Amino acid sequence: MSRVYDDERLAGAYERGNEMPEGSLRAWVGLIASHVRRPAPRIIEIGSGTGVFSAAMARWIESSEVVAVDASEAMLAEARRHHAHPAVRYLRGEAESVPAAAGVFDLALMSRVIHHLPDRARAARELARVTRAGGRAVIRTTFRERLDAVVYDYWPQLRAGDELRFPGEEEVVADFVSAGFVPEETVSFAQPVTASLAAYHARLIGRPQSKFTRLTDEEFHRGLARLEAAARAEATDRPRPVLERYDVAVFSRP
Ligand SMILES: C[S@@+](CC[C@H](N)C(=O)[O-])C[C@H]1O[C@@H](n2cnc3c(N)ncnc32)[C@H](O)[C@@H]1O
């Protein structure tokens, strides 16, 4: 697995720098919930990070129970500190060897994780194992062919590395089909992450994403200065929300 999230600094920065407005989080949970087929669903999130999605699903998907699994103790510590919920159980574990019994979950979520997995095919088989017949796997990512994050406007050198790290849609579909899943749909969905470029700049100061570990301090600060200048220019004009778009691939388990 990617060990970068074992870093406590990054875990703390991730928690502070990846918040989103409640309306956006609700919209994401609504999209995920539309793939739940039973009342009182059992849900597993793999690579739950600081627990934002796990806690939100527990809060807004009625009578749900969530098992949140992450390989990083540092991320789990942030999750337990900031996103504890009585219906969420945080567990250390790896996508390639999920600490759960077979056929238990109505829905398995992996959000912004698939590009970290050294053995994606094995992770797909594990999701198939822990999902019950009729259940769904929901993969939230950006497929290589649609990489368009706002960060590339200010750190264009990150794009080449991401093109290597992020799998394309066909590769992911092939792994999930080999694992026994049936593709249901892929949609792209965008939601605001901050109300303005100035707020976006403020959150990126903490280098809150693993991709920034690939930059030297100088490269990071040069991009941050470009972003700050753009935010200042926007402030005199009309601030617009910054959107982040993700692809959501949904698979069913026959
Ligand atoms: C970018 S964060 C995503 C967190 C959260 N799901 C979200 O959407 O904000 C990626 C998370 O995946 C975890 N991770 C990476 N490789 C993993 C693996 N092989 N098994 C389980 N978790 C893994 C990392 O520790 C990190 O917490």
Side-chain angles (χ1 to χ4, degrees):
M1 80 120 193
S2 152
R3 294 276 162 211
V4 65
Y5 284 101
D6 288 344
D7 175 359
E8 282 170 25
R9 189 215 66 82
L10 178 57
Y14 191 93
E15 165 57 24
R16 289 186 296 279
N18 287 276
E19 282 172 330
M20 61 178 116
E22 180 168 318
S24 298
L25 190 54
R26 272 189 185 268
W28 278 111
V29 171
L31 177 65
I32 295 162
S34 71
H35 296 287
V36 167
R37 292 285 171 274
R38 292 208 304 198
R42 298 181 79 178
I43 296 174
I44 187 164
E45 183 182 5
I46 310 284
S48 48
T50 58
V52 171
F53 275 93
S54 285
M57 291 189 293
R59 211 173 318 138
W60 294 321
I61 302 180
E62 207 182 327
S63 305
S64 58
E65 268 178 48
V66 181
V67 173
V69 175
D70 202 282
S72 156
E73 271 304 343
M75 294 296 266
L76 287 165
E78 290 293 319
R80 292 188 183 108
R81 192 171 309 136
H82 298 285
H83 298 286
H85 187 285
V88 181
R89 199 150 53 92
Y90 288 107
L91 289 180
R92 213 202 79 78
E94 312 247 337
E96 296 81 0
S97 169
V98 176
V104 166
F105 295 100
D106 298 288
L107 187 135
L109 171 68
M110 271 206 302
S111 167
R112 308 209 289 183
V113 174
I114 201 126
H115 59 289
H116 287 298
L117 303 177
D119 192 343
R120 193 174 55 241
R122 187 164 158 203
R125 288 196 295 276
E126 276 295 88
L127 286 200
R129 182 182 67 77
V130 300
T131 309
R132 69 165 182 81
R136 298 279 189 278
V138 175
I139 309 303
R140 179 176 180 264
T141 185
T142 309
F143 290 121
R144 180 188 298 130
E145 53 276 21
R146 289 196 279 278
L147 285 171
D148 71 348
V150 182
V151 290
Y152 305 136
D153 294 347
Y154 305 99
W155 292 274
Q157 65 271 51
L158 288 175
R159 180 182 283 277
D162 282 353
E163 279 170 357
L164 294 174
R165 291 193 316 152
F166 281 75
E169 181 173 357
E170 275 185 17
E171 295 162 67
V172 172
V173 168
D175 285 336
F176 276 72
V177 167
S178 297
F181 282 106
V182 174
E184 288 291 322
E185 65 174 22
T186 299
V187 294
S188 281
F189 191 56
Q191 285 296 308
V193 286
T194 57
S196 65
L197 213 47
Y200 188 68
H201 166 258
R203 71 151 47 177
L204 286 201
I205 289 172
R207 281 172 101 142
Q209 292 174 19
S210 66
K211 51 167 65 60
F212 292 125
T213 61
R214 307 199 318 261
L215 299 176
T216 65
D217 284 353
E218 199 198 326
E219 286 170 330
F220 177 71
H221 286 291
R222 228 180 291 134
L224 197 63
R226 281 192 286 267
L227 174 54
E228 189 177 9
R232 239 185 278 118
E234 189 193 67
T236 59
D237 192 3
R238 235 196 33 215
R240 275 166 307 164
V242 174
L243 300 184
E244 272 181 7
R245 190 191 56 73
Y246 290 93
D247 298 316
V248 177
V250 182
F251 299 91
S252 61
R253 163 98 155 63

